[in-house]
mmCIF file of all heavy atoms in Angstrom:
data_model
loop_
_atom_site.group_PDB
_atom_site.id
_atom_site.type_symbol
_atom_site.label_atom_id
_atom_site.label_comp_id
_atom_site.label_asym_id
_atom_site.label_seq_id
_atom_site.Cartn_x
_atom_site.Cartn_y
_atom_site.Cartn_z
ATOM 1 N N ASN A 214 -7.588 15.221 -82.001
ATOM 2 C CA ASN A 214 -6.571 14.153 -81.451
ATOM 3 C C ASN A 214 -7.011 13.727 -80.092
ATOM 4 O O ASN A 214 -6.950 12.508 -79.711
ATOM 5 C CB ASN A 214 -5.157 14.695 -81.555
ATOM 6 C CG ASN A 214 -4.594 14.778 -82.951
ATOM 7 O OD1 ASN A 214 -5.089 14.017 -83.885
ATOM 8 N ND2 ASN A 214 -3.663 15.572 -83.154
ATOM 9 N N LEU A 215 -7.355 14.675 -79.179
ATOM 10 C CA LEU A 215 -7.766 14.432 -77.883
ATOM 11 C C LEU A 215 -9.029 13.436 -77.795
ATOM 12 O O LEU A 215 -9.115 12.628 -76.902
ATOM 13 C CB LEU A 215 -8.070 15.640 -77.009
ATOM 14 C CG LEU A 215 -6.780 16.460 -76.567
ATOM 15 C CD1 LEU A 215 -7.268 17.756 -75.930
ATOM 16 C CD2 LEU A 215 -5.972 15.638 -75.640
ATOM 17 N N ALA A 217 -9.527 11.051 -79.692
ATOM 18 C CA ALA A 217 -9.133 9.731 -80.116
ATOM 19 C C ALA A 217 -8.146 9.013 -79.347
ATOM 20 O O ALA A 217 -7.949 7.804 -79.499
ATOM 21 C CB ALA A 217 -8.674 9.784 -81.575
ATOM 22 N N ILE A 218 -7.554 9.650 -78.363
ATOM 23 C CA ILE A 218 -6.561 8.996 -77.536
ATOM 24 C C ILE A 218 -7.180 8.098 -76.524
ATOM 25 O O ILE A 218 -8.277 8.250 -76.074
ATOM 26 C CB ILE A 218 -5.564 10.010 -76.896
ATOM 27 C CG1 ILE A 218 -6.257 10.789 -75.781
ATOM 28 C CG2 ILE A 218 -4.922 10.887 -77.904
ATOM 29 C CD1 ILE A 218 -5.406 11.756 -74.957
ATOM 30 N N PRO A 219 -6.415 6.987 -76.027
ATOM 31 C CA PRO A 219 -6.972 6.105 -75.012
ATOM 32 C C PRO A 219 -7.305 6.740 -73.677
ATOM 33 O O PRO A 219 -6.615 7.690 -73.294
ATOM 34 C CB PRO A 219 -5.828 5.073 -74.752
ATOM 35 C CG PRO A 219 -4.992 5.190 -75.978
ATOM 36 C CD PRO A 219 -5.098 6.554 -76.544
ATOM 37 N N SER A 220 -8.421 6.332 -73.137
ATOM 38 C CA SER A 220 -8.969 6.999 -71.962
ATOM 39 C C SER A 220 -8.039 6.870 -70.688
ATOM 40 O O SER A 220 -8.014 7.745 -69.846
ATOM 41 C CB SER A 220 -10.356 6.434 -71.597
ATOM 42 O OG SER A 220 -10.233 5.009 -71.257
ATOM 43 N N ILE A 221 -7.141 5.845 -70.737
ATOM 44 C CA ILE A 221 -6.254 5.719 -69.511
ATOM 45 C C ILE A 221 -5.277 6.796 -69.482
ATOM 46 O O ILE A 221 -4.749 7.100 -68.353
ATOM 47 C CB ILE A 221 -5.561 4.342 -69.645
ATOM 48 C CG1 ILE A 221 -4.975 4.003 -68.268
ATOM 49 C CG2 ILE A 221 -4.564 4.274 -70.725
ATOM 50 C CD1 ILE A 221 -4.524 2.560 -68.207
ATOM 51 N N LEU A 222 -4.917 7.395 -70.624
ATOM 52 C CA LEU A 222 -4.020 8.468 -70.573
ATOM 53 C C LEU A 222 -4.666 9.695 -69.792
ATOM 54 O O LEU A 222 -3.917 10.558 -69.205
ATOM 55 C CB LEU A 222 -3.634 8.922 -71.948
ATOM 56 C CG LEU A 222 -2.901 7.914 -72.793
ATOM 57 C CD1 LEU A 222 -2.497 8.355 -74.216
ATOM 58 C CD2 LEU A 222 -1.624 7.479 -72.072
ATOM 59 N N PHE A 223 -5.894 9.913 -70.005
ATOM 60 C CA PHE A 223 -6.503 10.959 -69.136
ATOM 61 C C PHE A 223 -6.423 10.666 -67.626
ATOM 62 O O PHE A 223 -6.359 11.628 -66.824
ATOM 63 C CB PHE A 223 -7.948 11.087 -69.510
ATOM 64 C CG PHE A 223 -8.191 11.758 -70.932
ATOM 65 C CD1 PHE A 223 -8.504 10.953 -71.969
ATOM 66 C CD2 PHE A 223 -8.090 13.115 -71.090
ATOM 67 C CE1 PHE A 223 -8.680 11.465 -73.207
ATOM 68 C CE2 PHE A 223 -8.322 13.623 -72.342
ATOM 69 C CZ PHE A 223 -8.574 12.766 -73.397
ATOM 70 N N GLY A 224 -6.465 9.457 -67.277
ATOM 71 C CA GLY A 224 -6.307 9.069 -65.884
ATOM 72 C C GLY A 224 -4.860 9.419 -65.401
ATOM 73 O O GLY A 224 -4.786 9.913 -64.258
ATOM 74 N N LEU A 225 -3.911 9.202 -66.246
ATOM 75 C CA LEU A 225 -2.520 9.569 -65.901
ATOM 76 C C LEU A 225 -2.317 11.075 -65.750
ATOM 77 O O LEU A 225 -1.657 11.557 -64.884
ATOM 78 C CB LEU A 225 -1.525 9.021 -66.899
ATOM 79 C CG LEU A 225 -1.402 7.494 -67.000
ATOM 80 C CD1 LEU A 225 -0.596 7.065 -68.176
ATOM 81 C CD2 LEU A 225 -0.860 6.932 -65.747
ATOM 82 N N LEU A 226 -3.085 11.744 -66.647
ATOM 83 C CA LEU A 226 -3.095 13.239 -66.604
ATOM 84 C C LEU A 226 -3.692 13.712 -65.398
ATOM 85 O O LEU A 226 -3.139 14.691 -64.706
ATOM 86 C CB LEU A 226 -3.792 13.721 -67.834
ATOM 87 C CG LEU A 226 -3.762 15.309 -68.044
ATOM 88 C CD1 LEU A 226 -2.310 15.772 -68.239
ATOM 89 C CD2 LEU A 226 -4.637 15.674 -69.219
ATOM 90 N N GLY A 227 -4.791 13.100 -64.988
ATOM 91 C CA GLY A 227 -5.519 13.503 -63.738
ATOM 92 C C GLY A 227 -4.697 13.266 -62.476
ATOM 93 O O GLY A 227 -4.622 14.046 -61.569
ATOM 94 N N LEU A 228 -3.958 12.089 -62.586
ATOM 95 C CA LEU A 228 -3.072 11.727 -61.375
ATOM 96 C C LEU A 228 -1.860 12.746 -61.256
ATOM 97 O O LEU A 228 -1.584 13.175 -60.161
ATOM 98 C CB LEU A 228 -2.515 10.356 -61.630
ATOM 99 C CG LEU A 228 -1.551 9.785 -60.591
ATOM 100 C CD1 LEU A 228 -2.300 9.651 -59.210
ATOM 101 C CD2 LEU A 228 -0.964 8.527 -60.959
ATOM 102 N N ALA A 229 -1.320 13.090 -62.512
ATOM 103 C CA ALA A 229 -0.234 14.083 -62.336
ATOM 104 C C ALA A 229 -0.558 15.458 -62.068
ATOM 105 O O ALA A 229 0.123 16.173 -61.244
ATOM 106 C CB ALA A 229 0.525 13.956 -63.765
ATOM 107 N N ILE A 230 -1.715 15.946 -62.607
ATOM 108 C CA ILE A 230 -2.066 17.362 -62.458
ATOM 109 C C ILE A 230 -2.869 17.558 -61.178
ATOM 110 O O ILE A 230 -2.628 18.340 -60.332
ATOM 111 C CB ILE A 230 -2.723 17.903 -63.715
ATOM 112 C CG1 ILE A 230 -1.813 17.835 -64.880
ATOM 113 C CG2 ILE A 230 -3.307 19.318 -63.448
ATOM 114 C CD1 ILE A 230 -2.400 18.284 -66.157
ATOM 115 N N PHE A 231 -3.959 16.847 -61.135
ATOM 116 C CA PHE A 231 -5.047 17.208 -60.092
ATOM 117 C C PHE A 231 -4.659 16.681 -58.706
ATOM 118 O O PHE A 231 -4.831 17.348 -57.703
ATOM 119 C CB PHE A 231 -6.432 16.543 -60.435
ATOM 120 C CG PHE A 231 -6.926 17.170 -61.670
ATOM 121 C CD1 PHE A 231 -7.512 16.348 -62.692
ATOM 122 C CD2 PHE A 231 -6.854 18.523 -62.076
ATOM 123 C CE1 PHE A 231 -8.028 16.796 -63.860
ATOM 124 C CE2 PHE A 231 -7.475 19.037 -63.146
ATOM 125 C CZ PHE A 231 -7.969 18.247 -64.127
ATOM 126 N N THR A 248 -11.257 14.476 -63.952
ATOM 127 C CA THR A 248 -10.539 13.651 -64.917
ATOM 128 C C THR A 248 -11.481 13.237 -66.132
ATOM 129 O O THR A 248 -11.124 13.392 -67.310
ATOM 130 C CB THR A 248 -10.017 12.371 -64.221
ATOM 131 O OG1 THR A 248 -9.116 12.759 -63.188
ATOM 132 C CG2 THR A 248 -9.263 11.504 -65.225
ATOM 133 N N LEU A 249 -12.747 12.944 -65.791
ATOM 134 C CA LEU A 249 -13.647 12.564 -66.873
ATOM 135 C C LEU A 249 -13.999 13.853 -67.686
ATOM 136 O O LEU A 249 -14.350 13.717 -68.863
ATOM 137 C CB LEU A 249 -14.834 11.966 -66.257
ATOM 138 C CG LEU A 249 -14.671 10.529 -65.625
ATOM 139 C CD1 LEU A 249 -16.002 10.006 -65.104
ATOM 140 C CD2 LEU A 249 -14.129 9.557 -66.717
ATOM 141 N N LEU A 251 -11.967 16.173 -68.601
ATOM 142 C CA LEU A 251 -11.011 16.346 -69.585
ATOM 143 C C LEU A 251 -11.186 15.431 -70.738
ATOM 144 O O LEU A 251 -11.087 15.858 -71.925
ATOM 145 C CB LEU A 251 -9.616 16.011 -68.970
ATOM 146 C CG LEU A 251 -9.042 16.958 -67.964
ATOM 147 C CD1 LEU A 251 -7.661 16.401 -67.412
ATOM 148 C CD2 LEU A 251 -8.925 18.354 -68.556
ATOM 149 N N MET A 252 -11.687 14.197 -70.459
ATOM 150 C CA MET A 252 -11.973 13.238 -71.513
ATOM 151 C C MET A 252 -13.264 13.542 -72.331
ATOM 152 O O MET A 252 -13.342 13.342 -73.507
ATOM 153 C CB MET A 252 -12.091 11.778 -70.888
ATOM 154 C CG MET A 252 -12.174 10.733 -71.898
ATOM 155 S SD MET A 252 -12.601 9.113 -71.158
ATOM 156 C CE MET A 252 -14.348 9.435 -70.845
ATOM 157 N N GLU A 313 -16.711 4.613 -68.295
ATOM 158 C CA GLU A 313 -15.226 4.484 -68.235
ATOM 159 C C GLU A 313 -14.811 3.909 -66.860
ATOM 160 O O GLU A 313 -15.326 4.287 -65.784
ATOM 161 C CB GLU A 313 -14.637 5.894 -68.457
ATOM 162 C CG GLU A 313 -14.701 6.318 -69.899
ATOM 163 C CD GLU A 313 -13.854 5.385 -70.807
ATOM 164 O OE1 GLU A 313 -12.868 4.745 -70.353
ATOM 165 O OE2 GLU A 313 -14.103 5.344 -71.965
ATOM 166 N N THR A 314 -13.789 3.114 -66.881
ATOM 167 C CA THR A 314 -13.182 2.545 -65.702
ATOM 168 C C THR A 314 -11.667 2.884 -65.565
ATOM 169 O O THR A 314 -11.258 3.213 -64.442
ATOM 170 C CB THR A 314 -13.408 0.989 -65.716
ATOM 171 O OG1 THR A 314 -14.723 0.696 -65.942
ATOM 172 C CG2 THR A 314 -12.884 0.348 -64.417
ATOM 173 N N ALA A 315 -10.978 2.752 -66.664
ATOM 174 C CA ALA A 315 -9.494 2.848 -66.638
ATOM 175 C C ALA A 315 -9.071 4.244 -66.073
ATOM 176 O O ALA A 315 -8.213 4.159 -65.165
ATOM 177 C CB ALA A 315 -9.008 2.744 -68.101
ATOM 178 N N PRO A 316 -9.511 5.374 -66.432
ATOM 179 C CA PRO A 316 -8.957 6.607 -65.877
ATOM 180 C C PRO A 316 -9.320 6.743 -64.375
ATOM 181 O O PRO A 316 -8.611 7.301 -63.616
ATOM 182 C CB PRO A 316 -9.753 7.748 -66.625
ATOM 183 C CG PRO A 316 -10.897 7.137 -67.310
ATOM 184 C CD PRO A 316 -10.537 5.693 -67.508
ATOM 185 N N LEU A 317 -10.518 6.164 -63.976
ATOM 186 C CA LEU A 317 -10.891 6.292 -62.539
ATOM 187 C C LEU A 317 -10.039 5.288 -61.674
ATOM 188 O O LEU A 317 -9.809 5.689 -60.485
ATOM 189 C CB LEU A 317 -12.361 6.037 -62.381
ATOM 190 C CG LEU A 317 -13.308 7.004 -63.069
ATOM 191 C CD1 LEU A 317 -14.686 6.615 -62.972
ATOM 192 C CD2 LEU A 317 -13.050 8.389 -62.662
ATOM 193 N N ILE A 319 -6.887 4.748 -62.233
ATOM 194 C CA ILE A 319 -5.642 5.495 -62.071
ATOM 195 C C ILE A 319 -5.797 6.480 -60.876
ATOM 196 O O ILE A 319 -4.794 6.639 -60.191
ATOM 197 C CB ILE A 319 -5.217 6.204 -63.343
ATOM 198 C CG1 ILE A 319 -5.067 5.098 -64.457
ATOM 199 C CG2 ILE A 319 -3.971 6.926 -63.216
ATOM 200 C CD1 ILE A 319 -3.978 4.169 -64.219
ATOM 201 N N VAL A 320 -6.846 7.147 -60.799
ATOM 202 C CA VAL A 320 -6.990 8.207 -59.710
ATOM 203 C C VAL A 320 -7.554 7.659 -58.460
ATOM 204 O O VAL A 320 -7.867 8.391 -57.500
ATOM 205 C CB VAL A 320 -7.890 9.332 -60.255
ATOM 206 C CG1 VAL A 320 -7.231 10.072 -61.323
ATOM 207 C CG2 VAL A 320 -9.297 8.889 -60.485
#
Side-chain angles (χ1 to χ4, degrees):
N214 289 336
L215 284 173
I218 66 174
S220 60
I221 194 169
L222 296 182
F223 289 101
L225 294 172
L226 185 63
L228 177 64
I230 296 178
F231 300 136
T248 302
L249 292 180
L251 292 178
M252 191 189 73
E313 285 293 337
T314 308
L317 298 181
I319 298 297
V320 297

